Amino acid sequence: MNRTNDPAAIGALFVVGIGGTTREGSSTDRALRVSLRAAEEAGARTHIFTGPFLARLPHFAPDHPARSEEQREFVETVRQADGVILASPGYHGGISGLVKNALDLLEDLRGDARSYLDGRAVGCIAAAAGWQASVTTLESLRAIVHALRGWPTPLGAAINTTEPNFDPAGACTNPKTLDTLVTVGRQVVDFACRYRR
Ligand SMILES: Cc1cc2nc3c(=O)[nH]c(=O)nc-3n(C[C@H](O)[C@H](O)[C@H](O)COP(=O)(O)O)c2cc1C
């Protein structure tokens, strides 16, 4: 049996990033992009749903089956994913409404053979202006991933935005943050390879 974890040998893997805020220069967005880049360098194709896109998703309501073009695009893209990376700011100790609204829309994947995020590695990133909220937000993300039947990666990223982490161009300048975000991206691809195999 082929035991390789080389995505090129296994076939193109697809990783979807979801998160950020609508703020120009969002640190959550920057963190997500670093992990997605690491996933690309590990051989995956990627797609990102940023804060401005998420802000165009109508408020999810279970009794409203009509879907906007953006809602359909979001659900269909996640349906194709082998792995997902979620990134939320810590708002009042938990994930933002913007990110939660998008995740609630994954209710549309409930009836799939791979229900919700079943069989998908999910990297979780939380960015807040302190360790307390970044850690509680990371825990909230993991709990949501478990509810959606996904597989949180062993390492999650809790980022304290009061520390210097990114330069104005978005490059990660904090070696510890960089190592964590890169590891999260790689672990998503590694799991996706193992699951595909
Ligand atoms: C509505 C709101 C609530 C927030 N609540 C918290 C909080 O409870 N704890 C904390 O450390 N930071 C809190 N923050 C700060 C954000 O987590 C922090 O600025 C984060 O980096 C924002 O993400 P962004 O840079 O991607 O926009 C809050 C910010 C906003 C706008």
Side-chain angles (χ1 to χ4, degrees):
M1 186 160 61
N2 180 7
R3 283 272 161 207
T4 182
N5 273 345
D6 176 6
I10 287 176
L13 293 162
F14 184 40
V15 175
V16 176
I18 302 167
T21 68
T22 55
R23 208 174 60 76
E24 182 75 27
S26 159
S27 45
T28 320
D29 178 276
R30 287 174 169 172
L32 176 58
R33 288 176 191 274
V34 172
S35 284
L36 279 177
R37 206 169 306 122
E40 283 170 9
E41 283 164 6
R45 283 187 305 119
T46 68
H47 182 83
I48 186 169
F49 288 110
T50 61
F53 178 92
L54 301 181
R56 295 203 300 275
L57 295 175
H59 192 264
F60 176 79
D63 52 335
H64 284 199
R67 295 286 176 258
S68 70
E69 196 178 311
E70 281 93 355
Q71 284 177 311
R72 280 195 295 274
E73 177 190 340
F74 180 78
V75 170
E76 194 47 44
T77 304
V78 177
R79 180 173 275 137
Q80 305 302 325
D82 298 292
V84 175
I85 303 178
L86 304 177
S88 176
Y91 279 2
H92 305 145
I95 82 166
S96 67
L98 191 74
V99 173
K100 187 62 166 65
N101 185 50
L103 296 178
D104 287 347
L105 184 56
L106 297 182
E107 185 62 18
D108 285 7
L109 299 179
R110 180 164 59 113
D112 284 17
R114 285 171 86 188
S115 206
Y116 299 116
L117 297 179
D118 183 30
R120 295 168 177 99
V122 186
C124 297
I125 300 167
W131 292 116
Q132 179 169 284
S134 60
V135 170
T136 55
T137 302
L138 179 60
E139 286 173 350
S140 303
L141 280 171
R142 285 193 180 125
I144 291 166
V145 173
H146 281 141
L148 291 171
R149 306 182 197 177
W151 297 66
T153 54
L155 188 66
I159 296 171
N160 184 339
T161 60
T162 62
E163 296 184 342
N165 283 303
F166 301 98
D167 71 14
C172 188
T173 52
N174 181 325
K176 198 163 176 295
T177 304
L178 179 63
D179 185 55
T180 301
L181 292 170
V182 166
T183 302
V184 168
R186 285 182 185 157
Q187 286 187 347
V188 169
V189 176
D190 185 44
F191 175 94
C193 283
R194 290 168 194 269
Y195 192 83
R196 178 80 73 86
R197 197 178 61 205

mmCIF file of all heavy atoms in Angstrom, residues 100-147:
data_model
loop_
_atom_site.group_PDB
_atom_site.id
_atom_site.type_symbol
_atom_site.label_atom_id
_atom_site.label_comp_id
_atom_site.label_asym_id
_atom_site.label_seq_id
_atom_site.Cartn_x
_atom_site.Cartn_y
_atom_site.Cartn_z
ATOM 1 N N LYS A 100 -19.628 33.042 12.938
ATOM 2 C CA LYS A 100 -20.643 32.065 13.376
ATOM 3 C C LYS A 100 -21.785 31.974 12.360
ATOM 4 O O LYS A 100 -22.311 30.878 12.098
ATOM 5 C CB LYS A 100 -21.189 32.469 14.749
ATOM 6 C CG LYS A 100 -22.128 31.428 15.375
ATOM 7 C CD LYS A 100 -21.422 30.112 15.611
ATOM 8 C CE LYS A 100 -22.197 29.170 16.521
ATOM 9 N NZ LYS A 100 -23.460 28.708 15.970
ATOM 10 N N ASN A 101 -22.163 33.100 11.781
ATOM 11 C CA ASN A 101 -23.237 33.081 10.779
ATOM 12 C C ASN A 101 -22.854 32.195 9.593
ATOM 13 O O ASN A 101 -23.661 31.421 9.093
ATOM 14 C CB ASN A 101 -23.525 34.507 10.312
ATOM 15 C CG ASN A 101 -24.706 34.572 9.360
ATOM 16 O OD1 ASN A 101 -25.777 34.028 9.645
ATOM 17 N ND2 ASN A 101 -24.517 35.208 8.215
ATOM 18 N N ALA A 102 -21.592 32.292 9.175
ATOM 19 C CA ALA A 102 -21.127 31.457 8.059
ATOM 20 C C ALA A 102 -21.141 29.987 8.467
ATOM 21 O O ALA A 102 -21.562 29.111 7.691
ATOM 22 C CB ALA A 102 -19.725 31.885 7.641
ATOM 23 N N LEU A 103 -20.701 29.700 9.680
ATOM 24 C CA LEU A 103 -20.655 28.296 10.120
ATOM 25 C C LEU A 103 -22.067 27.731 10.276
ATOM 26 O O LEU A 103 -22.301 26.548 9.986
ATOM 27 C CB LEU A 103 -19.862 28.180 11.422
ATOM 28 C CG LEU A 103 -18.372 28.563 11.295
ATOM 29 C CD1 LEU A 103 -17.668 28.462 12.637
ATOM 30 C CD2 LEU A 103 -17.675 27.685 10.257
ATOM 31 N N ASP A 104 -23.010 28.554 10.703
ATOM 32 C CA ASP A 104 -24.399 28.075 10.811
ATOM 33 C C ASP A 104 -24.941 27.671 9.439
ATOM 34 O O ASP A 104 -25.752 26.741 9.330
ATOM 35 C CB ASP A 104 -25.296 29.147 11.442
ATOM 36 C CG ASP A 104 -25.057 29.304 12.937
ATOM 37 O OD1 ASP A 104 -24.384 28.435 13.530
ATOM 38 O OD2 ASP A 104 -25.529 30.310 13.505
ATOM 39 N N LEU A 105 -24.472 28.339 8.406
ATOM 40 C CA LEU A 105 -24.923 28.017 7.040
ATOM 41 C C LEU A 105 -24.488 26.603 6.623
ATOM 42 O O LEU A 105 -25.090 26.001 5.732
ATOM 43 C CB LEU A 105 -24.356 29.075 6.078
ATOM 44 C CG LEU A 105 -24.763 29.015 4.611
ATOM 45 C CD1 LEU A 105 -26.274 29.043 4.439
ATOM 46 C CD2 LEU A 105 -24.109 30.182 3.859
ATOM 47 N N LEU A 106 -23.472 26.066 7.293
ATOM 48 C CA LEU A 106 -23.039 24.694 6.957
ATOM 49 C C LEU A 106 -24.094 23.663 7.348
ATOM 50 O O LEU A 106 -23.944 22.472 7.064
ATOM 51 C CB LEU A 106 -21.688 24.387 7.616
ATOM 52 C CG LEU A 106 -20.539 25.285 7.128
ATOM 53 C CD1 LEU A 106 -19.229 24.885 7.783
ATOM 54 C CD2 LEU A 106 -20.414 25.240 5.604
ATOM 55 N N GLU A 107 -25.167 24.135 7.975
ATOM 56 C CA GLU A 107 -26.333 23.273 8.191
ATOM 57 C C GLU A 107 -26.801 22.672 6.859
ATOM 58 O O GLU A 107 -27.356 21.574 6.810
ATOM 59 C CB GLU A 107 -27.457 24.089 8.841
ATOM 60 C CG GLU A 107 -28.690 23.305 9.228
ATOM 61 C CD GLU A 107 -28.420 22.229 10.266
ATOM 62 O OE1 GLU A 107 -27.386 22.274 10.948
ATOM 63 O OE2 GLU A 107 -29.262 21.319 10.372
ATOM 64 N N ASP A 108 -26.533 23.383 5.769
ATOM 65 C CA ASP A 108 -26.923 22.889 4.441
ATOM 66 C C ASP A 108 -26.153 21.637 4.036
ATOM 67 O O ASP A 108 -26.503 20.984 3.050
ATOM 68 C CB ASP A 108 -26.723 23.984 3.385
ATOM 69 C CG ASP A 108 -27.792 25.066 3.450
ATOM 70 O OD1 ASP A 108 -28.601 25.039 4.400
ATOM 71 O OD2 ASP A 108 -27.816 25.945 2.565
ATOM 72 N N LEU A 109 -25.081 21.302 4.768
ATOM 73 C CA LEU A 109 -24.311 20.081 4.466
ATOM 74 C C LEU A 109 -24.777 18.891 5.314
ATOM 75 O O LEU A 109 -24.210 17.807 5.211
ATOM 76 C CB LEU A 109 -22.809 20.315 4.724
ATOM 77 C CG LEU A 109 -22.118 21.403 3.902
ATOM 78 C CD1 LEU A 109 -20.651 21.521 4.312
ATOM 79 C CD2 LEU A 109 -22.215 21.095 2.410
ATOM 80 N N ARG A 110 -25.800 19.111 6.121
ATOM 81 C CA ARG A 110 -26.224 18.071 7.065
ATOM 82 C C ARG A 110 -26.603 16.765 6.366
ATOM 83 O O ARG A 110 -26.255 15.681 6.802
ATOM 84 C CB ARG A 110 -27.411 18.559 7.900
ATOM 85 C CG ARG A 110 -27.901 17.519 8.906
ATOM 86 C CD ARG A 110 -28.776 18.173 9.937
ATOM 87 N NE ARG A 110 -29.915 18.813 9.290
ATOM 88 C CZ ARG A 110 -31.175 18.417 9.421
ATOM 89 N NH1 ARG A 110 -31.461 17.381 10.177
ATOM 90 N NH2 ARG A 110 -32.152 19.043 8.816
ATOM 91 N N GLY A 111 -27.310 16.873 5.230
ATOM 92 C CA GLY A 111 -27.797 15.671 4.545
ATOM 93 C C GLY A 111 -26.784 15.032 3.610
ATOM 94 O O GLY A 111 -27.084 14.033 2.956
ATOM 95 N N ASP A 112 -25.576 15.587 3.520
ATOM 96 C CA ASP A 112 -24.558 15.021 2.620
ATOM 97 C C ASP A 112 -24.064 13.673 3.141
ATOM 98 O O ASP A 112 -24.143 13.394 4.341
ATOM 99 C CB ASP A 112 -23.332 15.958 2.534
ATOM 100 C CG ASP A 112 -23.600 17.181 1.662
ATOM 101 O OD1 ASP A 112 -24.782 17.477 1.393
ATOM 102 O OD2 ASP A 112 -22.619 17.825 1.256
ATOM 103 N N ALA A 113 -23.521 12.845 2.211
ATOM 104 C CA ALA A 113 -22.908 11.587 2.648
ATOM 105 C C ALA A 113 -21.807 11.900 3.654
ATOM 106 O O ALA A 113 -21.648 11.222 4.662
ATOM 107 C CB ALA A 113 -22.352 10.841 1.438
ATOM 108 N N ARG A 114 -21.026 12.955 3.366
ATOM 109 C CA ARG A 114 -20.068 13.469 4.352
ATOM 110 C C ARG A 114 -20.759 14.636 5.051
ATOM 111 O O ARG A 114 -20.671 15.766 4.632
ATOM 112 C CB ARG A 114 -18.794 13.962 3.675
ATOM 113 C CG ARG A 114 -17.872 12.884 3.204
ATOM 114 C CD ARG A 114 -16.760 13.482 2.371
ATOM 115 N NE ARG A 114 -15.656 13.944 3.192
ATOM 116 C CZ ARG A 114 -14.642 14.645 2.700
ATOM 117 N NH1 ARG A 114 -14.609 14.985 1.437
ATOM 118 N NH2 ARG A 114 -13.659 15.006 3.491
ATOM 119 N N SER A 115 -21.450 14.317 6.120
ATOM 120 C CA SER A 115 -22.271 15.311 6.788
ATOM 121 C C SER A 115 -21.411 16.429 7.387
ATOM 122 O O SER A 115 -20.359 16.169 7.970
ATOM 123 C CB SER A 115 -23.009 14.583 7.912
ATOM 124 O OG SER A 115 -24.184 15.229 8.233
ATOM 125 N N TYR A 116 -21.874 17.668 7.233
ATOM 126 C CA TYR A 116 -21.157 18.834 7.793
ATOM 127 C C TYR A 116 -19.668 18.794 7.409
ATOM 128 O O TYR A 116 -19.342 18.788 6.226
ATOM 129 C CB TYR A 116 -21.323 18.884 9.317
ATOM 130 C CG TYR A 116 -22.748 19.012 9.801
ATOM 131 C CD1 TYR A 116 -23.343 17.998 10.552
ATOM 132 C CD2 TYR A 116 -23.508 20.138 9.519
ATOM 133 C CE1 TYR A 116 -24.640 18.119 11.025
ATOM 134 C CE2 TYR A 116 -24.817 20.262 9.990
ATOM 135 C CZ TYR A 116 -25.370 19.257 10.732
ATOM 136 O OH TYR A 116 -26.653 19.368 11.186
ATOM 137 N N LEU A 117 -18.777 18.703 8.393
ATOM 138 C CA LEU A 117 -17.325 18.688 8.116
ATOM 139 C C LEU A 117 -16.741 17.299 8.348
ATOM 140 O O LEU A 117 -15.538 17.149 8.591
ATOM 141 C CB LEU A 117 -16.605 19.730 8.984
ATOM 142 C CG LEU A 117 -17.015 21.180 8.716
ATOM 143 C CD1 LEU A 117 -16.278 22.139 9.645
ATOM 144 C CD2 LEU A 117 -16.758 21.559 7.251
ATOM 145 N N ASP A 118 -17.560 16.297 8.222
ATOM 146 C CA ASP A 118 -17.118 14.913 8.414
ATOM 147 C C ASP A 118 -15.916 14.595 7.530
ATOM 148 O O ASP A 118 -15.900 14.945 6.340
ATOM 149 C CB ASP A 118 -18.286 13.984 8.062
ATOM 150 C CG ASP A 118 -17.942 12.524 8.299
ATOM 151 O OD1 ASP A 118 -17.138 12.241 9.200
ATOM 152 O OD2 ASP A 118 -18.485 11.674 7.571
ATOM 153 N N GLY A 119 -14.898 13.982 8.096
ATOM 154 C CA GLY A 119 -13.733 13.556 7.326
ATOM 155 C C GLY A 119 -12.829 14.688 6.893
ATOM 156 O O GLY A 119 -11.967 14.495 6.038
ATOM 157 N N ARG A 120 -13.012 15.850 7.470
ATOM 158 C CA ARG A 120 -12.173 16.998 7.093
ATOM 159 C C ARG A 120 -11.374 17.490 8.295
ATOM 160 O O ARG A 120 -11.936 17.687 9.375
ATOM 161 C CB ARG A 120 -13.031 18.141 6.561
ATOM 162 C CG ARG A 120 -13.745 17.795 5.252
ATOM 163 C CD ARG A 120 -14.776 18.863 4.960
ATOM 164 N NE ARG A 120 -15.457 18.635 3.687
ATOM 165 C CZ ARG A 120 -16.654 18.059 3.592
ATOM 166 N NH1 ARG A 120 -17.275 17.613 4.665
ATOM 167 N NH2 ARG A 120 -17.224 17.909 2.415
ATOM 168 N N ALA A 121 -10.094 17.690 8.060
ATOM 169 C CA ALA A 121 -9.274 18.321 9.089
ATOM 170 C C ALA A 121 -9.636 19.794 9.147
ATOM 171 O O ALA A 121 -9.874 20.422 8.116
ATOM 172 C CB ALA A 121 -7.804 18.174 8.743
ATOM 173 N N VAL A 122 -9.677 20.330 10.346
ATOM 174 C CA VAL A 122 -10.020 21.747 10.492
ATOM 175 C C VAL A 122 -9.001 22.429 11.402
ATOM 176 O O VAL A 122 -8.886 22.088 12.588
ATOM 177 C CB VAL A 122 -11.451 21.926 11.060
ATOM 178 C CG1 VAL A 122 -11.818 23.407 11.055
ATOM 179 C CG2 VAL A 122 -12.462 21.127 10.242
ATOM 180 N N GLY A 123 -8.275 23.357 10.832
ATOM 181 C CA GLY A 123 -7.354 24.175 11.619
ATOM 182 C C GLY A 123 -8.116 25.346 12.211
ATOM 183 O O GLY A 123 -8.969 25.932 11.541
ATOM 184 N N CYS A 124 -7.833 25.669 13.467
ATOM 185 C CA CYS A 124 -8.548 26.757 14.145
ATOM 186 C C CYS A 124 -7.577 27.851 14.582
ATOM 187 O O CYS A 124 -6.547 27.569 15.194
ATOM 188 C CB CYS A 124 -9.278 26.223 15.381
ATOM 189 S SG CYS A 124 -10.552 25.014 15.003
ATOM 190 N N ILE A 125 -7.938 29.089 14.262
ATOM 191 C CA ILE A 125 -7.116 30.254 14.597
ATOM 192 C C ILE A 125 -8.010 31.276 15.296
ATOM 193 O O ILE A 125 -9.100 31.591 14.801
ATOM 194 C CB ILE A 125 -6.543 30.903 13.314
ATOM 195 C CG1 ILE A 125 -5.669 29.908 12.545
ATOM 196 C CG2 ILE A 125 -5.766 32.174 13.658
ATOM 197 C CD1 ILE A 125 -5.329 30.375 11.123
ATOM 198 N N ALA A 126 -7.556 31.770 16.436
ATOM 199 C CA ALA A 126 -8.304 32.817 17.144
ATOM 200 C C ALA A 126 -7.356 33.967 17.445
ATOM 201 O O ALA A 126 -6.242 33.759 17.925
ATOM 202 C CB ALA A 126 -8.890 32.257 18.438
ATOM 203 N N ALA A 127 -7.804 35.185 17.143
ATOM 204 C CA ALA A 127 -6.969 36.376 17.384
ATOM 205 C C ALA A 127 -7.747 37.356 18.250
ATOM 206 O O ALA A 127 -8.860 37.766 17.898
ATOM 207 C CB ALA A 127 -6.606 37.033 16.054
ATOM 208 N N ALA A 128 -7.170 37.716 19.391
ATOM 209 C CA ALA A 128 -7.838 38.676 20.282
ATOM 210 C C ALA A 128 -6.784 39.549 20.957
ATOM 211 O O ALA A 128 -5.596 39.232 20.932
ATOM 212 C CB ALA A 128 -8.679 37.943 21.324
ATOM 213 N N ALA A 129 -7.264 40.602 21.576
ATOM 214 C CA ALA A 129 -6.346 41.572 22.194
ATOM 215 C C ALA A 129 -5.934 41.127 23.595
ATOM 216 O O ALA A 129 -5.852 41.943 24.527
ATOM 217 C CB ALA A 129 -7.007 42.938 22.225
ATOM 218 N N GLY A 130 -5.688 39.853 23.758
ATOM 219 C CA GLY A 130 -5.264 39.308 25.048
ATOM 220 C C GLY A 130 -5.327 37.796 24.984
ATOM 221 O O GLY A 130 -6.034 37.241 24.137
ATOM 222 N N TRP A 131 -4.592 37.157 25.902
ATOM 223 C CA TRP A 131 -4.568 35.682 25.869
ATOM 224 C C TRP A 131 -5.896 35.079 26.301
ATOM 225 O O TRP A 131 -6.316 34.031 25.802
ATOM 226 C CB TRP A 131 -3.442 35.144 26.754
ATOM 227 C CG TRP A 131 -2.091 35.477 26.194
ATOM 228 C CD1 TRP A 131 -1.136 36.262 26.744
ATOM 229 C CD2 TRP A 131 -1.563 35.039 24.932
ATOM 230 N NE1 TRP A 131 -0.045 36.350 25.905
ATOM 231 C CE2 TRP A 131 -0.272 35.617 24.803
ATOM 232 C CE3 TRP A 131 -2.053 34.243 23.897
ATOM 233 C CZ2 TRP A 131 0.524 35.395 23.673
ATOM 234 C CZ3 TRP A 131 -1.263 34.022 22.783
ATOM 235 C CH2 TRP A 131 0.013 34.594 22.682
ATOM 236 N N GLN A 132 -6.559 35.746 27.277
ATOM 237 C CA GLN A 132 -7.804 35.152 27.788
ATOM 238 C C GLN A 132 -8.804 34.919 26.659
ATOM 239 O O GLN A 132 -9.305 33.804 26.462
ATOM 240 C CB GLN A 132 -8.413 36.052 28.859
ATOM 241 C CG GLN A 132 -9.721 35.505 29.417
ATOM 242 C CD GLN A 132 -10.170 36.252 30.658
ATOM 243 O OE1 GLN A 132 -9.629 36.066 31.731
ATOM 244 N NE2 GLN A 132 -11.171 37.099 30.487
ATOM 245 N N ALA A 133 -9.097 35.973 25.881
ATOM 246 C CA ALA A 133 -10.108 35.825 24.816
ATOM 247 C C ALA A 133 -9.581 35.006 23.638
ATOM 248 O O ALA A 133 -10.361 34.306 22.985
ATOM 249 C CB ALA A 133 -10.580 37.190 24.330
ATOM 250 N N SER A 134 -8.278 35.077 23.355
ATOM 251 C CA SER A 134 -7.797 34.274 22.220
ATOM 252 C C SER A 134 -7.931 32.787 22.548
ATOM 253 O O SER A 134 -8.312 31.988 21.691
ATOM 254 C CB SER A 134 -6.367 34.651 21.822
ATOM 255 O OG SER A 134 -5.470 34.447 22.874
ATOM 256 N N VAL A 135 -7.670 32.431 23.798
ATOM 257 C CA VAL A 135 -7.769 31.008 24.172
ATOM 258 C C VAL A 135 -9.233 30.560 24.262
ATOM 259 O O VAL A 135 -9.587 29.494 23.752
ATOM 260 C CB VAL A 135 -7.012 30.752 25.492
ATOM 261 C CG1 VAL A 135 -7.303 29.352 26.026
ATOM 262 C CG2 VAL A 135 -5.502 30.929 25.281
ATOM 263 N N THR A 136 -10.104 31.371 24.873
ATOM 264 C CA THR A 136 -11.515 30.948 24.962
ATOM 265 C C THR A 136 -12.151 30.889 23.562
ATOM 266 O O THR A 136 -12.981 30.018 23.284
ATOM 267 C CB THR A 136 -12.350 31.883 25.871
ATOM 268 O OG1 THR A 136 -12.233 33.232 25.410
ATOM 269 C CG2 THR A 136 -11.911 31.783 27.315
ATOM 270 N N THR A 137 -11.719 31.790 22.677
ATOM 271 C CA THR A 137 -12.262 31.770 21.306
ATOM 272 C C THR A 137 -11.765 30.540 20.553
ATOM 273 O O THR A 137 -12.521 29.911 19.803
ATOM 274 C CB THR A 137 -11.882 33.077 20.568
ATOM 275 O OG1 THR A 137 -12.396 34.181 21.323
ATOM 276 C CG2 THR A 137 -12.435 33.108 19.160
ATOM 277 N N LEU A 138 -10.506 30.184 20.776
ATOM 278 C CA LEU A 138 -9.976 28.959 20.154
ATOM 279 C C LEU A 138 -10.771 27.740 20.647
ATOM 280 O O LEU A 138 -11.136 26.864 19.855
ATOM 281 C CB LEU A 138 -8.490 28.808 20.481
ATOM 282 C CG LEU A 138 -7.784 27.576 19.927
ATOM 283 C CD1 LEU A 138 -7.847 27.535 18.409
ATOM 284 C CD2 LEU A 138 -6.320 27.543 20.395
ATOM 285 N N GLU A 139 -11.064 27.726 21.940
ATOM 286 C CA GLU A 139 -11.851 26.605 22.489
ATOM 287 C C GLU A 139 -13.254 26.578 21.881
ATOM 288 O O GLU A 139 -13.775 25.501 21.570
ATOM 289 C CB GLU A 139 -11.926 26.724 24.015
ATOM 290 C CG GLU A 139 -10.619 26.370 24.687
ATOM 291 C CD GLU A 139 -10.614 26.651 26.179
ATOM 292 O OE1 GLU A 139 -11.564 27.298 26.676
ATOM 293 O OE2 GLU A 139 -9.657 26.229 26.835
ATOM 294 N N SER A 140 -13.848 27.770 21.686
ATOM 295 C CA SER A 140 -15.191 27.818 21.065
ATOM 296 C C SER A 140 -15.146 27.259 19.654
ATOM 297 O O SER A 140 -16.036 26.492 19.247
ATOM 298 C CB SER A 140 -15.707 29.258 20.960
ATOM 299 O OG SER A 140 -15.748 29.864 22.194
ATOM 300 N N LEU A 141 -14.101 27.645 18.914
ATOM 301 C CA LEU A 141 -13.980 27.136 17.534
ATOM 302 C C LEU A 141 -13.871 25.619 17.534
ATOM 303 O O LEU A 141 -14.521 24.931 16.737
ATOM 304 C CB LEU A 141 -12.756 27.753 16.849
ATOM 305 C CG LEU A 141 -12.911 29.165 16.288
ATOM 306 C CD1 LEU A 141 -11.559 29.704 15.836
ATOM 307 C CD2 LEU A 141 -13.903 29.188 15.127
ATOM 308 N N ARG A 142 -13.044 25.102 18.435
ATOM 309 C CA ARG A 142 -12.880 23.633 18.473
ATOM 310 C C ARG A 142 -14.199 22.938 18.815
ATOM 311 O O ARG A 142 -14.524 21.898 18.234
ATOM 312 C CB ARG A 142 -11.828 23.259 19.520
ATOM 313 C CG ARG A 142 -10.410 23.540 19.067
ATOM 314 C CD ARG A 142 -9.458 22.856 20.023
ATOM 315 N NE ARG A 142 -8.077 23.074 19.674
ATOM 316 C CZ ARG A 142 -7.170 23.582 20.508
ATOM 317 N NH1 ARG A 142 -7.513 23.937 21.729
ATOM 318 N NH2 ARG A 142 -5.929 23.715 20.120
ATOM 319 N N ALA A 143 -14.954 23.516 19.752
ATOM 320 C CA ALA A 143 -16.237 22.906 20.133
ATOM 321 C C ALA A 143 -17.193 22.903 18.935
ATOM 322 O O ALA A 143 -17.929 21.934 18.710
ATOM 323 C CB ALA A 143 -16.841 23.666 21.311
ATOM 324 N N ILE A 144 -17.164 23.978 18.162
ATOM 325 C CA ILE A 144 -18.034 24.051 16.978
ATOM 326 C C ILE A 144 -17.598 23.014 15.944
ATOM 327 O O ILE A 144 -18.430 22.332 15.327
ATOM 328 C CB ILE A 144 -18.011 25.483 16.392
ATOM 329 C CG1 ILE A 144 -18.704 26.451 17.341
ATOM 330 C CG2 ILE A 144 -18.670 25.519 15.010
ATOM 331 C CD1 ILE A 144 -18.455 27.918 17.041
ATOM 332 N N VAL A 145 -16.293 22.869 15.767
ATOM 333 C CA VAL A 145 -15.793 21.874 14.797
ATOM 334 C C VAL A 145 -16.221 20.472 15.218
ATOM 335 O O VAL A 145 -16.660 19.663 14.391
ATOM 336 C CB VAL A 145 -14.254 21.974 14.653
ATOM 337 C CG1 VAL A 145 -13.728 20.831 13.794
ATOM 338 C CG2 VAL A 145 -13.870 23.315 14.046
ATOM 339 N N HIS A 146 -16.146 20.186 16.507
ATOM 340 C CA HIS A 146 -16.610 18.872 16.977
ATOM 341 C C HIS A 146 -18.098 18.694 16.677
ATOM 342 O O HIS A 146 -18.528 17.634 16.227
ATOM 343 C CB HIS A 146 -16.362 18.726 18.473
ATOM 344 C CG HIS A 146 -14.939 18.392 18.811
ATOM 345 N ND1 HIS A 146 -14.286 18.926 19.894
ATOM 346 C CD2 HIS A 146 -14.047 17.583 18.202
ATOM 347 C CE1 HIS A 146 -13.044 18.455 19.926
ATOM 348 N NE2 HIS A 146 -12.876 17.641 18.912
ATOM 349 N N ALA A 147 -18.897 19.756 16.917
ATOM 350 C CA ALA A 147 -20.342 19.670 16.640
ATOM 351 C C ALA A 147 -20.595 19.416 15.166
ATOM 352 O O ALA A 147 -21.573 18.754 14.797
ATOM 353 C CB ALA A 147 -21.035 20.954 17.087
#
